[in-house]
PDB file of all heavy atoms in Angstrom:
ATOM      1  N   ASP R 431     131.353  22.174  90.994  1.00 89.00           N
ATOM      2  CA  ASP R 431     130.331  23.167  91.126  1.00 89.00           C
ATOM      3  C   ASP R 431     129.343  23.111  89.978  1.00 89.00           C
ATOM      4  O   ASP R 431     128.095  23.146  90.170  1.00 89.00           O
ATOM      5  CB  ASP R 431     130.893  24.589  91.191  1.00 89.00           C
ATOM      6  CG  ASP R 431     131.765  24.787  92.405  1.00 89.00           C
ATOM      7  OD1 ASP R 431     131.418  24.234  93.463  1.00 89.00           O
ATOM      8  OD2 ASP R 431     132.780  25.508  92.303  1.00 89.00           O
ATOM      9  N   VAL R 432     129.878  22.960  88.779  1.00 91.00           N
ATOM     10  CA  VAL R 432     129.008  22.904  87.583  1.00 91.00           C
ATOM     11  C   VAL R 432     128.150  21.663  87.631  1.00 91.00           C
ATOM     12  O   VAL R 432     126.950  21.700  87.374  1.00 91.00           O
ATOM     13  CB  VAL R 432     129.897  22.960  86.281  1.00 91.00           C
ATOM     14  CG1 VAL R 432     128.965  22.907  85.056  1.00 91.00           C
ATOM     15  CG2 VAL R 432     130.740  24.205  86.228  1.00 91.00           C
ATOM     16  N   ASP R 433     128.773  20.528  87.970  1.00 90.00           N
ATOM     17  CA  ASP R 433     128.026  19.262  88.099  1.00 90.00           C
ATOM     18  C   ASP R 433     126.859  19.388  89.084  1.00 90.00           C
ATOM     19  O   ASP R 433     125.743  19.015  88.810  1.00 90.00           O
ATOM     20  CB  ASP R 433     128.951  18.114  88.548  1.00 90.00           C
ATOM     21  CG  ASP R 433     129.885  17.699  87.425  1.00 90.00           C
ATOM     22  OD1 ASP R 433     129.683  18.173  86.289  1.00 90.00           O
ATOM     23  OD2 ASP R 433     130.809  16.951  87.681  1.00 90.00           O
ATOM     24  N   ALA R 434     127.202  20.006  90.237  1.00 89.00           N
ATOM     25  CA  ALA R 434     126.194  20.079  91.281  1.00 89.00           C
ATOM     26  C   ALA R 434     125.025  20.938  90.802  1.00 89.00           C
ATOM     27  O   ALA R 434     123.827  20.592  91.019  1.00 89.00           O
ATOM     28  CB  ALA R 434     126.814  20.755  92.532  1.00 89.00           C
ATOM     29  N   PHE R 435     125.314  21.944  90.051  1.00 89.00           N
ATOM     30  CA  PHE R 435     124.255  22.786  89.564  1.00 89.00           C
ATOM     31  C   PHE R 435     123.389  22.082  88.545  1.00 89.00           C
ATOM     32  O   PHE R 435     122.175  22.156  88.573  1.00 89.00           O
ATOM     33  CB  PHE R 435     124.828  24.067  88.919  1.00 89.00           C
ATOM     34  CG  PHE R 435     123.767  25.068  88.585  1.00 89.00           C
ATOM     35  CD1 PHE R 435     123.267  25.893  89.573  1.00 89.00           C
ATOM     36  CD2 PHE R 435     123.265  25.177  87.303  1.00 89.00           C
ATOM     37  CE1 PHE R 435     122.273  26.810  89.285  1.00 89.00           C
ATOM     38  CE2 PHE R 435     122.287  26.089  86.994  1.00 89.00           C
ATOM     39  CZ  PHE R 435     121.774  26.903  87.998  1.00 89.00           C
ATOM     40  N   PHE R 436     124.023  21.309  87.638  1.00 90.00           N
ATOM     41  CA  PHE R 436     123.229  20.589  86.653  1.00 90.00           C
ATOM     42  C   PHE R 436     122.382  19.497  87.297  1.00 90.00           C
ATOM     43  O   PHE R 436     121.273  19.245  86.861  1.00 90.00           O
ATOM     44  CB  PHE R 436     124.144  19.944  85.590  1.00 90.00           C
ATOM     45  CG  PHE R 436     124.404  20.891  84.424  1.00 90.00           C
ATOM     46  CD1 PHE R 436     125.673  21.257  84.103  1.00 90.00           C
ATOM     47  CD2 PHE R 436     123.336  21.377  83.664  1.00 90.00           C
ATOM     48  CE1 PHE R 436     125.905  22.134  83.059  1.00 90.00           C
ATOM     49  CE2 PHE R 436     123.590  22.245  82.601  1.00 90.00           C
ATOM     50  CZ  PHE R 436     124.841  22.617  82.307  1.00 90.00           C
ATOM     51  N   ARG R 437     122.906  18.858  88.329  1.00 90.00           N
ATOM     52  CA  ARG R 437     122.135  17.831  89.046  1.00 90.00           C
ATOM     53  C   ARG R 437     120.841  18.466  89.537  1.00 90.00           C
ATOM     54  O   ARG R 437     119.758  17.851  89.427  1.00 90.00           O
ATOM     55  CB  ARG R 437     122.929  17.305  90.235  1.00 90.00           C
ATOM     56  CG  ARG R 437     123.618  16.005  89.880  1.00 90.00           C
ATOM     57  CD  ARG R 437     124.366  15.415  91.052  1.00 90.00           C
ATOM     58  NE  ARG R 437     125.640  14.962  90.559  1.00 90.00           N
ATOM     59  CZ  ARG R 437     126.795  15.486  90.932  1.00 90.00           C
ATOM     60  NH1 ARG R 437     126.841  16.420  91.870  1.00 90.00           N
ATOM     61  NH2 ARG R 437     127.914  15.035  90.425  1.00 90.00           N
ATOM     62  N   LEU R 438     120.902  19.679  90.038  1.00 89.00           N
ATOM     63  CA  LEU R 438     119.695  20.314  90.520  1.00 89.00           C
ATOM     64  C   LEU R 438     118.840  20.838  89.392  1.00 89.00           C
ATOM     65  O   LEU R 438     117.594  20.639  89.403  1.00 89.00           O
ATOM     66  CB  LEU R 438     120.066  21.479  91.436  1.00 89.00           C
ATOM     67  CG  LEU R 438     120.378  21.143  92.896  1.00 89.00           C
ATOM     68  CD1 LEU R 438     120.644  22.425  93.639  1.00 89.00           C
ATOM     69  CD2 LEU R 438     119.247  20.414  93.529  1.00 89.00           C
ATOM     70  N   ARG R 439     119.457  21.480  88.414  1.00 88.00           N
ATOM     71  CA  ARG R 439     118.666  22.124  87.362  1.00 88.00           C
ATOM     72  C   ARG R 439     117.955  21.092  86.517  1.00 88.00           C
ATOM     73  O   ARG R 439     116.848  21.329  86.082  1.00 88.00           O
ATOM     74  CB  ARG R 439     119.530  22.984  86.509  1.00 88.00           C
ATOM     75  CG  ARG R 439     118.662  23.685  85.463  1.00 88.00           C
ATOM     76  CD  ARG R 439     119.134  25.013  85.096  1.00 88.00           C
ATOM     77  NE  ARG R 439     119.830  24.946  83.832  1.00 88.00           N
ATOM     78  CZ  ARG R 439     120.245  26.019  83.166  1.00 88.00           C
ATOM     79  NH1 ARG R 439     120.082  27.205  83.718  1.00 88.00           N
ATOM     80  NH2 ARG R 439     120.876  25.890  82.057  1.00 88.00           N
ATOM     81  N   LEU R 440     118.576  19.965  86.276  1.00 89.00           N
ATOM     82  CA  LEU R 440     117.956  18.944  85.422  1.00 89.00           C
ATOM     83  C   LEU R 440     117.220  17.886  86.237  1.00 89.00           C
ATOM     84  O   LEU R 440     116.846  16.828  85.728  1.00 89.00           O
ATOM     85  CB  LEU R 440     119.022  18.273  84.579  1.00 89.00           C
ATOM     86  CG  LEU R 440     119.825  19.213  83.663  1.00 89.00           C
ATOM     87  CD1 LEU R 440     120.886  18.446  82.866  1.00 89.00           C
ATOM     88  CD2 LEU R 440     118.902  19.956  82.701  1.00 89.00           C
ATOM     89  N   GLN R 441     117.080  18.179  87.504  1.00 90.00           N
ATOM     90  CA  GLN R 441     116.408  17.206  88.398  1.00 90.00           C
ATOM     91  C   GLN R 441     114.925  16.978  87.915  1.00 90.00           C
ATOM     92  O   GLN R 441     114.283  17.881  87.507  1.00 90.00           O
ATOM     93  CB  GLN R 441     116.359  17.795  89.818  1.00 90.00           C
ATOM     94  CG  GLN R 441     115.857  16.804  90.821  1.00 90.00           C
ATOM     95  CD  GLN R 441     115.781  17.511  92.207  1.00 90.00           C
ATOM     96  OE1 GLN R 441     114.838  18.253  92.468  1.00 90.00           O
ATOM     97  NE2 GLN R 441     116.768  17.223  93.061  1.00 90.00           N
ATOM     98  N   ASP R 844     118.074  13.005  90.140  1.00 89.00           N
ATOM     99  CA  ASP R 844     118.951  14.161  89.873  1.00 89.00           C
ATOM    100  C   ASP R 844     119.405  14.135  88.405  1.00 89.00           C
ATOM    101  O   ASP R 844     119.436  13.080  87.791  1.00 89.00           O
ATOM    102  CB  ASP R 844     120.207  14.039  90.767  1.00 89.00           C
ATOM    103  CG  ASP R 844     119.932  14.671  92.138  1.00 89.00           C
ATOM    104  OD1 ASP R 844     118.903  15.362  92.225  1.00 89.00           O
ATOM    105  OD2 ASP R 844     120.733  14.479  93.058  1.00 89.00           O
ATOM    106  N   GLY R 845     119.683  15.296  87.904  1.00 88.00           N
ATOM    107  CA  GLY R 845     120.169  15.402  86.515  1.00 88.00           C
ATOM    108  C   GLY R 845     121.501  14.736  86.372  1.00 88.00           C
ATOM    109  O   GLY R 845     122.219  14.540  87.324  1.00 88.00           O
ATOM    110  N   ASP R 846     121.776  14.368  85.141  1.00 88.00           N
ATOM    111  CA  ASP R 846     123.098  13.719  84.874  1.00 88.00           C
ATOM    112  C   ASP R 846     123.985  14.673  84.122  1.00 88.00           C
ATOM    113  O   ASP R 846     123.828  14.868  82.954  1.00 88.00           O
ATOM    114  CB  ASP R 846     122.840  12.421  84.037  1.00 88.00           C
ATOM    115  CG  ASP R 846     124.131  11.681  83.814  1.00 88.00           C
ATOM    116  OD1 ASP R 846     125.203  12.193  84.241  1.00 88.00           O
ATOM    117  OD2 ASP R 846     124.084  10.587  83.229  1.00 88.00           O
ATOM    118  N   PRO R 847     124.972  15.241  84.838  1.00 87.00           N
ATOM    119  CA  PRO R 847     125.807  16.263  84.193  1.00 87.00           C
ATOM    120  C   PRO R 847     126.588  15.713  82.991  1.00 87.00           C
ATOM    121  O   PRO R 847     126.965  16.458  82.094  1.00 87.00           O
ATOM    122  CB  PRO R 847     126.770  16.706  85.301  1.00 87.00           C
ATOM    123  CG  PRO R 847     126.258  16.097  86.547  1.00 87.00           C
ATOM    124  CD  PRO R 847     125.350  14.962  86.195  1.00 87.00           C
ATOM    125  N   SER R 848     126.855  14.409  82.994  1.00 87.00           N
ATOM    126  CA  SER R 848     127.704  13.858  81.938  1.00 87.00           C
ATOM    127  C   SER R 848     126.968  13.879  80.603  1.00 87.00           C
ATOM    128  O   SER R 848     127.569  13.739  79.561  1.00 87.00           O
ATOM    129  CB  SER R 848     128.151  12.445  82.272  1.00 87.00           C
ATOM    130  OG  SER R 848     127.009  11.596  82.304  1.00 87.00           O
ATOM    131  N   VAL R 850     125.319  16.451  79.517  1.00 86.00           N
ATOM    132  CA  VAL R 850     125.186  17.844  79.014  1.00 86.00           C
ATOM    133  C   VAL R 850     126.281  18.078  78.010  1.00 86.00           C
ATOM    134  O   VAL R 850     127.436  17.697  78.180  1.00 86.00           O
ATOM    135  CB  VAL R 850     125.344  18.836  80.199  1.00 86.00           C
ATOM    136  CG1 VAL R 850     125.226  20.247  79.689  1.00 86.00           C
ATOM    137  CG2 VAL R 850     124.309  18.543  81.265  1.00 86.00           C
ATOM    138  N   GLU R 851     125.914  18.718  76.882  1.00 88.00           N
ATOM    139  CA  GLU R 851     126.905  19.034  75.864  1.00 88.00           C
ATOM    140  C   GLU R 851     127.911  20.019  76.386  1.00 88.00           C
ATOM    141  O   GLU R 851     127.659  20.853  77.253  1.00 88.00           O
ATOM    142  CB  GLU R 851     126.168  19.716  74.703  1.00 88.00           C
ATOM    143  CG  GLU R 851     125.491  18.773  73.751  1.00 88.00           C
ATOM    144  CD  GLU R 851     124.674  19.553  72.744  1.00 88.00           C
ATOM    145  OE1 GLU R 851     125.156  20.620  72.326  1.00 88.00           O
ATOM    146  OE2 GLU R 851     123.534  19.145  72.465  1.00 88.00           O
ATOM    147  N   GLN R 854     127.027  23.840  76.152  1.00 90.00           N
ATOM    148  CA  GLN R 854     126.072  24.252  77.165  1.00 90.00           C
ATOM    149  C   GLN R 854     126.728  24.367  78.527  1.00 90.00           C
ATOM    150  O   GLN R 854     126.496  25.296  79.335  1.00 90.00           O
ATOM    151  CB  GLN R 854     124.947  23.224  77.184  1.00 90.00           C
ATOM    152  CG  GLN R 854     123.646  23.795  77.720  1.00 90.00           C
ATOM    153  CD  GLN R 854     122.611  22.661  77.869  1.00 90.00           C
ATOM    154  OE1 GLN R 854     122.779  21.559  77.330  1.00 90.00           O
ATOM    155  NE2 GLN R 854     121.586  22.929  78.629  1.00 90.00           N
ATOM    156  N   ARG R 855     127.643  23.402  78.766  1.00 90.00           N
ATOM    157  CA  ARG R 855     128.371  23.354  80.035  1.00 90.00           C
ATOM    158  C   ARG R 855     129.240  24.564  80.201  1.00 90.00           C
ATOM    159  O   ARG R 855     129.246  25.237  81.225  1.00 90.00           O
ATOM    160  CB  ARG R 855     129.224  22.079  79.988  1.00 90.00           C
ATOM    161  CG  ARG R 855     129.603  21.563  81.332  1.00 90.00           C
ATOM    162  CD  ARG R 855     130.466  20.348  81.153  1.00 90.00           C
ATOM    163  NE  ARG R 855     131.269  20.212  82.349  1.00 90.00           N
ATOM    164  CZ  ARG R 855     130.827  19.686  83.456  1.00 90.00           C
ATOM    165  NH1 ARG R 855     129.628  19.182  83.520  1.00 90.00           N
ATOM    166  NH2 ARG R 855     131.592  19.678  84.557  1.00 90.00           N
ATOM    167  N   ASP R 856     129.947  24.936  79.101  1.00 90.00           N
ATOM    168  CA  ASP R 856     130.835  26.098  79.146  1.00 90.00           C
ATOM    169  C   ASP R 856     130.012  27.369  79.354  1.00 90.00           C
ATOM    170  O   ASP R 856     130.403  28.266  80.146  1.00 90.00           O
ATOM    171  CB  ASP R 856     131.669  26.216  77.874  1.00 90.00           C
ATOM    172  CG  ASP R 856     132.748  25.135  77.814  1.00 90.00           C
ATOM    173  OD1 ASP R 856     132.966  24.509  78.881  1.00 90.00           O
ATOM    174  OD2 ASP R 856     133.321  24.935  76.748  1.00 90.00           O
ATOM    175  N   LEU R 858     127.152  27.638  80.828  1.00 91.00           N
ATOM    176  CA  LEU R 858     126.675  27.702  82.209  1.00 91.00           C
ATOM    177  C   LEU R 858     127.824  28.082  83.164  1.00 91.00           C
ATOM    178  O   LEU R 858     127.622  28.930  84.065  1.00 91.00           O
ATOM    179  CB  LEU R 858     126.092  26.390  82.651  1.00 91.00           C
ATOM    180  CG  LEU R 858     125.565  26.521  84.076  1.00 91.00           C
ATOM    181  CD1 LEU R 858     124.158  27.023  84.066  1.00 91.00           C
ATOM    182  CD2 LEU R 858     125.743  25.305  84.856  1.00 91.00           C
ATOM    183  N   ARG R 859     128.961  27.536  82.906  1.00 91.00           N
ATOM    184  CA  ARG R 859     130.111  27.885  83.792  1.00 91.00           C
ATOM    185  C   ARG R 859     130.375  29.419  83.702  1.00 91.00           C
ATOM    186  O   ARG R 859     130.657  30.009  84.736  1.00 91.00           O
ATOM    187  CB  ARG R 859     131.355  27.124  83.353  1.00 91.00           C
ATOM    188  CG  ARG R 859     132.474  27.190  84.404  1.00 91.00           C
ATOM    189  CD  ARG R 859     133.819  26.908  83.806  1.00 91.00           C
ATOM    190  NE  ARG R 859     134.073  25.491  83.582  1.00 91.00           N
ATOM    191  CZ  ARG R 859     134.849  24.771  84.382  1.00 91.00           C
ATOM    192  NH1 ARG R 859     135.414  25.310  85.426  1.00 91.00           N
ATOM    193  NH2 ARG R 859     135.078  23.523  84.103  1.00 91.00           N
ATOM    194  N   MET R 862     127.805  31.095  85.803  1.00 92.00           N
ATOM    195  CA  MET R 862     128.073  30.911  87.204  1.00 92.00           C
ATOM    196  C   MET R 862     129.223  31.781  87.672  1.00 92.00           C
ATOM    197  O   MET R 862     129.188  32.389  88.752  1.00 92.00           O
ATOM    198  CB  MET R 862     128.399  29.447  87.537  1.00 92.00           C
ATOM    199  CG  MET R 862     127.165  28.562  87.466  1.00 92.00           C
ATOM    200  SD  MET R 862     127.610  26.811  87.645  1.00 92.00           S
ATOM    201  CE  MET R 862     127.850  26.713  89.421  1.00 92.00           C
TER     202      MET R 862
END
Side-chain angles (χ1 to χ4, degrees):
Chain R
D431 297 324
V432 180
D433 287 350
F435 189 80
F436 272 120
R437 263 182 224 115
L438 277 184
R439 182 148 100 174
L440 302 179
Q441 187 183 79
D844 275 347
D846 183 356
S848 65
V850 180
E851 280 172 38
Q854 205 186 343
R855 204 181 155 81
D856 288 347
L858 181 89
R859 193 201 282 257
M862 287 175 78

